[in-house]
Amino acid sequence: MSGTFVGMPAFPTAARAALGDTQLRSNLAHATHTIRDKRAAVVAEVEEWEELRLAGAGVKEAALRDLATHLETLEASLTRAGATVHWARDAAEACAIVAQVAHSHGVDEVVKVKSMATGEIGLNEALEAEGIAAWETDLAELIVQLGEDLPSHILVPAIHRNRAEVREIFLRRMGDVGRPAPADLTDEPAVLAGAAREHLREKFLRAKVAVSGANFAVADTGTLVVVESEGNGRMCLTLPEVLVSVVGIEKVVATWGDLDPMLRLLPRSSTGERMNPYTSTWSGVTPGDGPQEVHVVLLDNGRTRALADDVGRQALRCIRCSACLNVCPVYERVGGHAYGSVYPGPIGAILNPLLNGVSDEQTASLPYASSLCGACFEVCPVRIDIPSVLVDQRAQVVDSHRGDRIPKAEAVAMKAAAWTFSDARRLGLAERASGLAGRVMGRFSRTTLPGGRTAAGRLPGPAAGWTGARDLPAPPKESFREWWARTDGGTHDDQDESGTTKGGGS
């Protein structure tokens, strides 16, 4: 199992369907504009923001460069504090560990803190197969779960839903799994939150086992950190008798002091707040306070593979703030489901191929899900150069097909171009042919581009995918060679075929 949604089509197909959903686009535009405006306002308050970004990137990069040492230190610190540390190579091992802990306590349900790692490994589905219900307690995750939906945003998983849709989901589904929503439920946000609070409270009070992730793991103190805005995380981390935390190995930082820049960068970049309403830290077991049995599952699941990629490894610096999603013009128009993963948007477009490779058609399509505008890098609090990674991964996708028995149309076109450009006579013939094509296209085209040139229109066959979304200029009627010969190297007046002077040579 991987972090991708099984059965999802490649990005171009999924994006085309999403573009046709006007309600989805309206919901996304409103939500992303609101979040990024809040972020911009609080970031502007910090004069040394760029220095803070550099500090945050430095903390994460230093941890990654000596990851093995820091992970061993973390294990030792957690063990001294009374926690049990497990190592999971992949999703199956991690899910099996969590299920075994739950079974050992005879429970048929667990409560969960919002966690990208558990979504990545498909933990809810794995526990369901073991007869264990996993209840999401984050409001947005609850909406997604009750709606039998998929998350579409790192920070706000239900960003594709409006409040009228949320009201309908609560009325229809809450009673099936617990305390029902009030019959007179309205779509006012405070009323919806109140219904969720009442629904979840009974689950908090009876749960014996909780599952969390972690935003950071401090190696020298053995401290796990969760930041959140609702208080549900604090309930999960303190009330149950047993706590299981699934933590990606890239979440480690070396020292307690390293949290300083991270806890200043994360809230401003994610929710547009100066600080998180709830920041919970815990180190193993404290007698008489909180869970008396703590398990920490250190998850690889492709991360060492990503670490070996000299260009892509910087993606492991990600602190899951979602700032890149909120400024991405592609994400704003198609939403998160089109990426086919719990990691959508620009960071998902590089992280999924890094974790899973590019042999699968769905993940291989993700590096192309970008205009390479660079907005994602400008807002990333840990300075991940997403455009550069995307370009490198596109090269990997191309390289992965070099040995195909049946080459792709693009590869055939590139070989044909190389054959043409390698011989002057062939190139000359191609130029004359393109000039003729330009005259024909100019006669029938109805689109004029800036500068007066005409567009070729939508081309047939393999070229349709390119020209269906882009204006391809029609070939010029006269090639450079023909112009050079006619004007004697630019020394005569440059006249077009009708004799009109276009410019003089010197």
Side-chain angles (χ1 to χ4, degrees), residues 90-411:
D90 54 27
E93 287 190 1
C95 291
I97 292 166
V98 179
Q100 189 277 325
V101 172
H103 282 312
S104 70
H105 290 273
V107 302
D108 60 2
E109 66 176 358
V110 300
V111 289
K112 287 185 62 196
V113 186
K114 181 178 182 297
S115 165
M116 301 302 297
T118 59
E120 172 192 333
I121 64 176
L123 179 63
N124 288 13
E125 295 79 8
L127 291 179
E128 183 180 10
E130 295 281 339
I132 302 166
W135 304 120
E136 298 289 354
T137 64
D138 173 83
L139 178 56
E141 291 282 8
L142 175 66
I143 294 167
V144 169
Q145 185 176 46
L146 291 177
E148 299 177 318
D149 202 352
L150 296 170
S152 63
H153 191 276
I154 289 175
L155 179 68
V156 193
I159 196 173
H160 56 289
R161 297 288 193 182
N162 59 36
R163 62 192 195 182
E165 292 173 311
V166 173
R167 173 184 176 274
E168 187 276 328
I169 290 170
F170 280 8
L171 286 171
R172 176 170 50 87
R173 288 282 293 130
M174 271 188 172
D176 295 339
V177 294
R179 184 187 181 101
D184 59 349
L185 183 70
T186 70
D187 65 359
E188 288 298 314
V191 175
L192 294 171
R197 186 180 301 113
E198 293 297 323
H199 176 81
L200 291 170
R201 185 165 294 158
E202 63 179 21
K203 290 180 167 54
F204 287 134
L205 293 176
R206 72 169 182 250
K208 293 184 178 181
V209 177
V211 178
S212 82
N215 293 95
F216 307 103
V218 184
D220 67 348
T221 61
T223 304
L224 301 186
V225 183
V226 163
V227 297
E228 40 125 1
S229 301
E230 300 172 17
N232 63 296
R234 184 69 56 83
M235 300 285 277
C236 289
L237 298 171
T238 55
L239 289 177
E241 300 169 7
V242 180
L243 174 62
V244 185
S245 300
V246 181
V247 184
I249 58 175
E250 84 282 10
K251 296 299 182 72
V252 69
V253 297
T255 68
W256 180 264
D258 287 340
L259 289 176
D260 175 28
M262 313 315 298
L263 293 179
R264 287 192 284 159
L265 287 164
L266 181 54
R268 283 182 164 84
S269 298
S270 56
T271 55
E273 298 171 299
R274 296 178 183 88
M275 65 181 294
N276 290 95
Y278 296 90
T279 299
S280 300
T281 66
W282 69 100
S283 303
V285 175
T286 301
D289 183 13
Q292 296 302 289
E293 182 176 326
V294 173
H295 297 262
V296 178
V297 183
L298 296 176
L299 175 69
D300 186 332
N301 203 40
R303 285 157 175 78
T304 53
R305 173 197 182 109
L307 193 65
D309 188 312
D310 290 337
V311 178
R313 60 179 290 154
Q314 60 186 294
L316 296 179
R317 298 204 298 253
C318 177
I319 57 175
R320 309 292 192 265
C321 70
S322 75
C324 61
L325 280 70
N326 300 325
V327 299
C328 177
V330 177
Y331 176 86
E332 182 182 323
R333 286 157 179 80
V334 305
H337 292 161
Y339 294 83
S341 167
V342 295
Y343 301 119
I347 188 62
I350 63 173
L351 193 56
N352 290 308
L354 281 167
L355 297 179
N356 302 300
V358 295
S359 58
D360 176 76
E361 181 185 7
Q362 197 278 327
T363 52
S365 70
L366 294 179
Y368 298 92
S370 172
S371 65
L372 300 180
C373 68
C376 48
F377 171 69
E378 294 300 322
V379 299
C380 178
V382 287
R383 296 177 58 84
I384 301 171
D385 189 355
I386 293 177
S388 293
V389 180
L390 286 167
V391 172
D392 183 69
Q393 288 182 339
R394 291 179 184 186
Q396 293 181 32
V397 173
V398 172
D399 289 343
S400 70
H401 291 289
R402 293 196 186 279
D404 291 354
R405 292 179 57 187
I406 302 176
K408 292 184 175 294
E410 181 185 25

Side-chain angles (χ1 to χ4, degrees), residues 86 133 197 233 292 346 401 418 457 479 481 497:
H86 310 263
R197 186 180 301 113
Q292 296 302 289
H401 291 289
S479 70
R481 291 187 185 204
E497 294 174 345

Side-chain angles (χ1 to χ4, degrees), residues 65-83:
R65 289 187 180 278
D66 198 12
L67 185 59
T69 299
H70 295 313
L71 288 172
E72 290 174 357
T73 301
L74 175 65
E75 179 185 29
S77 299
L78 285 166
T79 302
R80 281 196 305 271

